[in-house]
Amino acid sequence: MASNKASRDGEKIWKTNIDKVNAELVTLTYGTIVAQLCSDFNSQYAEVNKQLDKMGYNIGMRLIEDFFAKSGLQRCGNFRETAETISKIGFKMFLNITPAVTNWSADNKSFSLIFDENPLADFVELPNDGRAQDELWFSNIFCGIIRGALEMVQMQIEAHYVSDVLRGNDTTEMRITLLRYMEDELPPDDE
């Protein structure tokens, strides 16, 4: 799928096939969830990151069905096409943002998503405890969503943040690596 076609498709789907919700409501609700996790896990940010990833994974496993139903798309032909579809259609459909796909590895099994904007991070200040800036990945739910969605289409990936403007970095960058294509099998913890 050409990058421009993916952009046009994403814009069309956003305008015509998606029920909209108030972005501030989503942002504030998500922020409350993260704050509660920080409280529940006594600011053990590694555990908060794991819980956000796990929540995202469960969302992604279900969100992929909605993605296919509303987009009318079929499975992608290769990992590059998958990257463009995630960026220009998936993020556009559900969040009305389009992160840039960049930094491909030589073997085409790894790329970065660069977020110019992140609606989950609006109005956010990380806890000022001397650790959150180094340990908490506030939007880690996105990594889990992508991981869960791609596992449902037989791609096992690893996703993690490399940088985040909330941590004082210049950009927010997520790195996604294809680990393997899976045979048709049941998802983990599913019967």
Side-chain angles (χ1 to χ4, degrees), residues 99-113:
V101 177
T102 188
N103 299 333
W104 278 97
S105 62
D107 62 1
N108 287 323
K109 290 187 176 185
S110 191
F111 66 92
S112 292
L113 291 176

Side-chain angles (χ1 to χ4, degrees), residues 123-134:
F123 317 117
V124 172
E125 290 183 23
L126 295 181
N128 191 13
D129 62 3
R131 292 181 26 252
Q133 293 279 334
D134 296 326

Side-chain angles (χ1 to χ4, degrees), residues 3 7 15 17-18 24 34 43 46 54 63 75 84 96-97 101 107 121 143 153 164 167 169 178 181-182 189:
S3 181
S7 293
K15 288 181 179 177
N17 293 5
I18 302 298
E24 288 180 9
V34 175
S43 298
K54 186 176 180 180
L63 197 64
R75 288 188 187 187
E84 292 295 327
N96 195 26
I97 62 172
V101 177
D107 62 1
C143 295
V153 292
D164 190 340
R167 289 178 156 202
N169 302 118
L178 175 65
Y181 288 100
M182 303 178 327
D189 302 324

